[in-house]
Amino acid sequence: MRLRTLPAATALAALFGSVVLAAPASADSSTSVPVWGVDDTVVDGVHQRVFISDSYHSQIVVTDLTGKVVTQLTGLPQVGDLELSPDSGTLWAAVGGADKIVAVDTAQLTQSAEYPTGDKTDPSRLAYADGRLWFGYGDQWDSGLGEVDLSAETPTVTLDLAAGHDFSSPPELYADPDNPGTLLALDAHISSGPVVVYDISSGTPVIRVSAEKNGFFHDAALTPDGQNVVVAGPGTRALTEYRLSDLSEVRTFPVPSEPETVSVAPDGTVAATVLDTDNTGDTYVFATDPARPASVRDLSRDWMPWGGHSTSWSADGSRLYVLTGSSDSMRFQVVDAPRLYAPTLTADAPATATRAKSLTVKGKLTANLALPAGTPLQVTRTDLDSPTGKSLGTKYLGTGGAYSFTDTPPAGGKVTYKVTYAGDATHTAATASDSVTVSRATPALTLNNNGKVYDYGKSVTFTAHLGTTYKNRKVEIWADPYGSDKPSTLVKSGTVSSAGNLSVTLTLKRKTKLTAKFAGDARYAPRTTTSTAGARVKVSTALSGYYRTKYTWNHTYYYFKQSKDPVVTATMTPYPGRKQLLQIQIYAEGVWQTTDKEYFKLGSNGKSAVTLTGTPPTGYRFRVRNSYISGSGDSVNTTTYGAWKYLTFTR
């Protein structure tokens, strides 16, 4: 009912119908649309647009045939049914919240007319037939049938045309230009499910035939000749086709769960969506041949929408448009070849395998219309030796849609097997893949100088040695100096020498972690090794305040008057927060003994001056030194002890 096409479009669909079935499906598409819920959809084949009514947002969303929004017609409270004129020039919309029907110019996408239906009539259902726009209106048992006579010079509105039938809710209306004089009304929201066929040839509806069909109907669609109707129901497991002349049952279309919406293509193909609470398939397409099984798609992981017409065929019947989702996450789905059966293809490879050893890949190719044994499948292996894929030739289905094949992977690492079914005149293409982790040998990789300590500023050569590999002989050497201000840096990259070596010379000013990296190849796994080398700081100690020096007791001694306080100045490689340790010892009883030690913070220039106070004894030997202790203020260098300075005191 919601799809209105010109007779020329119907003829075009018949002409190209075989072309649709003769080729595999192209890629389907899915596009987000700004609607909260779908009350009705209409396809305009002339202007290549789709109209979607959304009562929640009081709007009609207009898209192109891919779902891209063209415009949004707003300010339409409780907009419901949409109806397209036979020439596709006008779209009518029932606007219940404003008690009117509006007309939209489909070329300009602007309102061209409106027809008030009366206070509190709340029109919600529409059908065009014989120059009149029929509408269902009201609420629950206060519902009726009305018309807008568009053939009159001034269109007039007439109510209470139900011809004696007491509708439990606004009747859902259907009519077709190919069956003039006939108007179908469904009393859809009551368990008895009355179906009423009116003769409208006189302009005044007369009940031609009516029958109770025992079910709540969610949706309905007329067949292309307008002689039959397919309803979503009765019951929760079938669509049912009835002949309008006597309302006798013609055919049922079984579905596994509650049918929600239905649409019939110009060639008679029936498409329907089901609630699909178990997520086993939500969109069913039934061929005109009852012996053929349904083609099934699973377009959405969510339950399918209910309460509105959300499925429509394209004007030529080649594509199917389905609205899925709910609330603010609805999507416009395009099924490019809905008559073709969409097979399910699986591939199962072992999780792990040994390189150069045989493994088995198996799977199934299943479809509602089963594929015969011998159906060809193309197999591609992608690995480190063949990153763009290597064909393994054609494999064939066995019985029951199963297949299996063996392969001996020449390369290790991640190996992916892709299985492709190309499709045929009745099936879409399908692909499946699975990956296996294939073992690789572990190469030897070493890096020298681990644990060694060097003086500040020393040039040190680090050598990475790579053992036997397959093809890759490249190694990277990274240097990561201690301290958050120095990032890890690639300092050398290249192919190792014939001896397997790659060297780099670095000037060490901090402790540094070196990392050698081998990326691996088809037969040898990646490998990483590290080496951490220490770097001392530069540290010196200077004394001031002495009055003479003398070489004695195997050292140079600095002489101070007992009344003079010595100043000990440390100079050290600077670093933020760095401290120096000052240690004082006295020679007594034949050994050097520590009398005091204390940390002092260095200035930003790396210097720290400490005055030694007190009254030291004369005639004794003393010594002092400054040292860097890793971890005392920072840890970027290796602990470094400075040289001792010797001093003594006189009167």
Side-chain angles (χ1 to χ4, degrees):
M1 168 268 190
R2 305 296 180 236
L3 178 64
R4 290 290 180 264
T5 60
L6 294 175
T10 303
L12 190 65
L15 177 64
F16 286 106
S18 60
V19 176
V20 174
L21 295 176
S26 57
D28 297 340
S29 65
S30 176
T31 304
S32 176
V33 285
V35 296
W36 190 269
V38 178
D39 292 87
D40 197 7
T41 57
V42 166
V43 176
D44 177 0
V46 172
H47 300 99
Q48 301 287 285
R49 288 169 180 155
V50 178
F51 296 89
I52 306 167
S53 63
D54 174 11
S55 61
Y56 186 89
H57 285 126
S58 303
Q59 66 172 344
I60 298 172
V61 176
V62 187
T63 75
D64 64 14
L65 298 185
T66 68
K68 181 180 179 181
V69 175
V70 175
T71 191
Q72 291 167 261
L73 308 176
T74 58
L76 303 170
Q78 298 177 35
V79 61
D81 258 13
L82 306 175
E83 183 77 351
L84 192 64
S85 65
D87 64 0
S88 293
T90 301
L91 178 79
W92 294 290
V95 187
D99 294 322
K100 65 183 179 181
I101 297 168
V102 300
V104 175
D105 184 318
T106 53
Q108 301 299 320
L109 297 179
T110 56
Q111 183 173 321
S112 57
E114 64 177 47
Y115 310 105
T117 55
D119 186 40
K120 297 182 180 179
T121 51
D122 191 13
S124 56
R125 305 292 182 176
L126 296 177
Y128 175 84
D130 299 358
R132 291 175 168 83
L133 188 61
W134 303 89
F135 61 93
Y137 65 91
D139 180 41
Q140 299 187 36
W141 291 100
D142 292 326
S143 298
L145 174 64
E147 68 158 10
V148 180
D149 185 357
L150 300 175
S151 64
E153 182 176 351
T154 300
T156 57
V157 174
T158 304
L159 304 177
D160 299 323
L161 297 174
H165 184 82
D166 188 11
F167 285 102
S168 66
S169 60
E172 299 185 5
L173 305 175
Y174 304 85
D176 192 279
D178 291 330
N179 189 13
T182 301
L183 177 68
L184 172 67
L186 299 182
D187 202 347
H189 302 288
I190 189 172
S191 60
S192 56
V195 178
V196 182
V197 181
Y198 288 101
D199 183 337
I200 57 172
S201 56
S202 68
T204 300
V206 176
I207 295 177
R208 181 184 297 160
V209 61
S210 66
E212 293 184 351
K213 293 301 181 180
N214 302 316
F216 293 95
F217 303 130
H218 289 179
D219 197 15
L222 295 175
T223 56
D225 59 5
Q227 300 294 318
N228 295 354
V229 63
V230 180
V231 296
T236 61
R237 301 288 176 181
L239 309 168
T240 309
E241 181 177 347
Y242 298 106
R243 187 178 292 111
L244 295 189
S245 60
D246 57 7
L247 293 181
S248 60
E249 184 176 307
V250 177
R251 179 184 173 186
T252 60
F253 305 83
V255 290
S257 64
E258 181 180 289
E260 299 300 335
T261 185
V262 61
S263 185
V264 183
D267 67 352
T269 303
V270 173
T273 62
V274 301
L275 191 59
D276 193 26
T277 56
D278 296 327
N279 202 41
T280 58
D282 50 44
T283 303
Y284 286 72
V285 176
F286 296 91
T288 54
D289 180 1
R292 292 178 70 92
S295 169
V296 183
R297 301 289 198 282
D298 192 15
L299 300 182
S300 174
R301 303 291 295 180
D302 299 322
W303 293 6
M304 293 298 275
W306 61 86
H309 179 78
S310 56
T311 302
S312 296
W313 288 91
S314 63
D316 64 0
S318 65
R319 290 180 174 83
L320 188 65
Y321 307 120
V322 183
L323 277 296
T324 64
S326 60
S327 301
D328 57 352
S329 59
M330 297 204 72
R331 302 196 68 80
F332 185 102
Q333 311 268 8
V334 180
V335 182
D336 282 338
R339 294 170 181 80
L340 299 186
Y341 293 88
T344 299
L345 180 61
T346 63
D348 182 22
T352 59
T354 303
R355 193 190 68 80
K357 298 290 185 181
S358 179
L359 58 81
T360 299
V361 179
K362 58 186 178 180
K364 278 193 170 186
L365 179 64
T366 57
N368 273 24
L369 184 64
L371 289 149
T375 297
L377 304 172
Q378 300 301 316
V379 178
T380 301
R381 181 186 65 221
T382 302
D383 56 27
L384 292 172
D385 271 346
S386 304
T388 59
K390 176 181 176 61
S391 174
L392 300 185
T394 304
K395 313 298 178 182
Y396 299 93
L397 281 187
T399 58
Y403 72 88
S404 68
F405 61 87
T406 60
D407 183 52
T408 302
K414 182 180 180 181
V415 178
T416 300
Y417 292 92
K418 180 180 179 182
V419 182
T420 302
Y421 167 61
D424 59 23
T426 54
H427 295 84
T428 62
T431 61
S433 63
D434 197 15
S435 297
V436 53
T437 300
V438 178
S439 63
R440 288 185 282 178
T442 301
L445 182 64
T446 60
L447 187 60
N448 67 342
N449 297 330
N450 184 47
K452 295 183 179 180
V453 178
Y454 299 92
D455 287 338
Y456 181 88
K458 177 73 174 180
S459 293
V460 181
T461 299
F462 294 87
T463 299
H465 177 77
L466 178 65
T468 301
T469 59
Y470 176 47
K471 289 183 178 180
N472 184 14
R473 301 296 293 165
K474 291 184 177 179
V475 169
E476 293 179 351
I477 301 178
W478 292 72
D480 186 9
Y482 277 40
S484 60
D485 59 326
K486 297 287 186 180
S488 181
T489 304
L490 177 64
V491 292
K492 188 68 174 287
S493 176
T495 301
V496 298
S497 67
S498 58
N501 296 329
L502 181 72
S503 298
V504 64
T505 299
L506 301 178
T507 300
L508 295 187
K509 295 184 177 180
R510 300 184 184 186
K511 287 190 288 187
T512 302
K513 179 181 178 181
L514 280 293
T515 302
K517 299 180 181 180
F518 168 66
D521 58 27
R523 298 185 183 179
Y524 285 81
R527 183 75 188 274
T528 298
T529 190
T530 62
S531 173
T532 300
R536 302 183 182 94
V537 298
K538 290 192 296 184
V539 56
S540 64
T541 301
L543 300 178
S544 59
Y546 59 92
Y547 65 91
R548 72 173 180 135
T549 62
K550 179 181 179 182
Y551 186 82
T552 182
W553 298 303
N554 297 320
H555 294 285
T556 298
Y557 273 77
Y558 294 80
Y559 283 75
F560 289 84
K561 295 293 186 180
Q562 188 183 43
S563 58
K564 182 67 173 180
D565 293 335
V567 177
V568 182
T569 300
T571 302
M572 194 178 296
T573 307
Y575 187 80
R578 178 158 289 181
K579 297 177 181 179
Q580 55 100 354
L581 175 64
L582 176 60
Q583 185 178 11
I584 304 171
Q585 291 187 339
I586 186 172
Y587 190 78
E589 299 179 356
V591 295
W592 287 101
Q593 301 177 37
T594 298
T595 62
D596 195 11
K597 59 181 179 180
E598 190 173 344
Y599 285 99
F600 296 93
K601 188 175 180 180
L602 292 169
S604 60
N605 61 354
K607 291 182 177 294
S608 171
V610 179
T611 301
L612 305 182
T613 61
T615 305
T618 60
Y620 283 84
R621 289 185 277 166
F622 293 88
R623 65 180 184 180
V624 296
R625 72 174 176 185
N626 291 299
S627 302
Y628 165 78
I629 307 301
S630 182
S632 59
D634 67 89
S635 301
V636 302
N637 285 92
T638 304
T639 293
T640 307
Y641 294 100
W644 290 103
K645 290 289 186 177
Y646 295 84
L647 63 157
T648 187
F649 294 88
T650 63
R651 292 189 185 275

